[in-house]
Amino acid sequence: MKTTQLTDIRKIEVGQASEPGLISDTDVLIRVGVVGVCGSDIHYYEWGRIGDQVIDFPFTIGHEFAGTVEQTGSLVTRVKPGDRIAVDPSVACGHCDQCKQGRPHTCRNNKFLGCPGQLSGSLKEKIVMPEENCFPLPDNLTLEEGALSEPLSIGLYAVKQSGLQKGMNIGILGYGPIGMSVYLAAQAYGMDKAYVSDKLEPRLEMARMQGAALTANPDREDVVAPFQEAEPSQLDVVYECCGDQQALDQAIDLVKPGGRILIVGIPPVDRWGFDVNKGRRKEVTLINVRRQNDTVQETLDLMASGRIKARSMVTHRFTLDQTPQAFDLVANYRDGVMKAMVQND
Ligand SMILES: [Zn+2]
Ligand SMILES: [Zn+2]
């Protein structure tokens, strides 16, 4: 079968590998249909690492995917051959303290697709996953929407962790696919106004099209003053979705006393800081978001019912052979790219 491999910094090669087989009775062999290129994949592509997770080349990345079931182990009941499925790329052990406390996303033995030292990624023709990671796709959703359910489930989890209530006003700093996922989930949960910043104009335009109350580009203008002028009592929740120190500083200025800041972005640095006095005087709650927990099915349901409309997130499509071009485009933020999809056909 065809596979892709990251063979060096900024170098992806397309080649051949032997087909994976079922190992456990609860395994599912999946024909990969479409894979979304994620910001975390780009971290590995550009720097070969996220924090202390360092790639040992060659390695296959990719984790946002949907596909079709080809074969199932004898004990599998959730799916059957021919089913179209979305896949949760996070494999938990099921027996550590975290798993037992209902926190499989912080499982002590967690293995995530396309993470070095864990599991080989999904940018290939076929892959094997445990059945509990497989979610049958509602009939009215496309495979692409199935792949989008991965970042969207993170957005939905961030919104749930923030305690967002109907009528609240929010800030979203960074409007890439994760920022947009937060936006769509917050909309489904009844937010009132959203204030959005990003350094890329096409992304701000997309935010305005979605209905953002006000947008600002930190490279060209002040973000805090116009948002505060429009919302003098400040924002209930601010979601940091770009991993940028400047955005975290702005979040502390923008949030109202007693408000919450959700850290959803992945910073390119290992440490960052915040103004302790501002944070203390406002009694701000800072919440870290680790991917998602138990929000995949709810995300699929919200998409199937039309309460989350995410199709417009996909701006570019490539074949598996064109994976290098897809990464080059996304890493360089070219051509107004939001989400690039790699299709396996
Ligand atoms: Zn992702
Ligand atoms: Zn565990």
Side-chain angles (χ1 to χ4, degrees):
M1 67 163 188
K2 205 177 280 179
T3 186
T4 70
Q5 284 190 315
L6 190 57
T7 55
D8 205 339
I9 300 287
R10 291 195 191 89
K11 192 154 197 261
I12 291 179
E13 290 179 33
V14 182
Q16 291 291 319
S18 52
E19 275 197 21
L22 304 180
I23 294 168
S24 138
D25 289 336
T26 51
D27 278 349
V28 177
L29 175 65
I30 304 158
R31 182 178 165 77
V32 175
V34 55
V35 186
V37 178
C38 173
S40 65
D41 298 322
I42 296 295
H43 275 257
Y44 290 127
Y45 175 76
E46 292 214 282
W47 296 292
R49 63 187 278 263
I50 296 179
D52 56 5
Q53 290 183 356
V54 183
I55 297 232
D56 189 9
F57 299 109
F59 185 69
T60 301
I61 53 176
H63 58 272
E64 295 178 1
F65 84 105
T68 309
V69 174
E70 281 217 333
Q71 195 190 345
T72 55
S74 58
L75 297 179
V76 171
T77 55
R78 275 174 75 101
V79 295
K80 57 183 187 309
D83 283 355
R84 297 177 321 126
I85 56 170
V87 180
D88 174 1
S90 176
V91 179
C93 76
H95 46 73
C96 72
D97 62 322
Q98 294 294 302
C99 284
K100 283 183 177 152
Q101 285 166 30
R103 298 182 50 88
H105 61 309
T106 52
C107 167
R108 307 273 181 182
N109 311 300
N110 184 271
K111 289 189 164 61
F112 198 84
L113 284 188
C115 274
Q118 298 178 25
L119 297 169
S120 173
S122 62
L123 278 161
K124 58 173 76 136
E125 266 186 276
K126 292 183 189 186
I127 193 164
V128 168
M129 292 296 288
E131 73 164 324
E132 59 263 30
N133 290 69
C134 302
F135 292 77
L137 269 183
D139 287 341
N140 64 341
L141 296 187
T142 62
L143 283 178
E144 250 180 28
E145 288 175 299
L148 287 178
S149 72
E150 202 272 342
L152 285 166
S153 69
I154 294 169
L156 178 59
Y157 179 63
V159 165
K160 291 174 80 132
Q161 290 297 93
S162 71
L164 182 85
Q165 310 274 324
K166 255 195 173 70
M168 280 186 169
N169 296 318
I170 67 169
I172 299 177
L173 308 182
Y175 204 72
I178 288 294
M180 183 170 172
S181 293
V182 167
Y183 184 95
L184 293 172
Q187 207 173 34
Y189 266 57
M191 73 170 180
D192 185 14
K193 287 183 215 132
Y195 295 83
V196 175
S197 73
D198 200 280
K199 294 180 175 178
L200 301 172
E201 284 303 324
R203 293 187 170 183
L204 294 178
E205 202 181 306
M206 210 177 267
R208 288 192 292 269
M209 267 163 49
Q210 298 285 341
L214 199 60
T215 63
N217 183 337
D219 276 350
R220 297 189 188 171
E221 61 210 318
D222 186 10
V223 170
V224 176
F227 288 3
Q228 265 184 349
E229 197 181 322
E231 212 59 62
S233 59
Q234 301 170 303
L235 304 173
D236 297 290
V237 185
V238 179
Y239 303 88
E240 198 293 319
C241 299
C242 52
D244 188 301
Q245 175 69 58
Q246 191 191 18
L248 184 60
D249 294 339
Q250 292 160 350
I252 288 177
D253 285 333
L254 287 167
V255 76
K256 67 168 57 166
R260 293 174 177 194
I261 296 173
L262 281 280
I263 300 176
V264 200
I266 303 177
V269 294
D270 292 334
R271 281 175 182 272
W272 61 7
F274 68 100
D275 187 318
V276 286
N277 287 314
K278 285 182 187 172
R280 184 175 59 81
R281 289 184 192 125
K282 282 187 173 179
E283 200 177 44
V284 169
T285 302
L286 273 175
I287 301 176
N288 283 283
V289 172
R290 179 56 166 164
R291 298 179 185 139
Q292 59 86 23
N293 185 15
D294 199 27
T295 53
V296 178
Q297 189 59 55
E298 186 180 347
T299 299
L300 292 171
D301 294 343
L302 285 168
M303 292 171 95
S305 68
R307 289 177 62 204
I308 287 183
K309 292 189 179 70
R311 286 186 189 194
S312 62
M313 195 189 293
V314 179
T315 52
H316 293 75
R317 293 176 178 84
F318 296 87
T319 64
L320 199 53
D321 286 321
Q322 295 169 327
T323 304
Q325 290 94 302
F327 274 74
D328 184 56
L329 175 95
V330 179
N332 293 296
Y333 300 102
R334 273 208 294 274
D335 195 28
V337 65
M338 180 61 99
K339 179 62 76 182
M341 287 287 179
V342 174
Q343 295 165 325
N344 171 34
D345 44 28

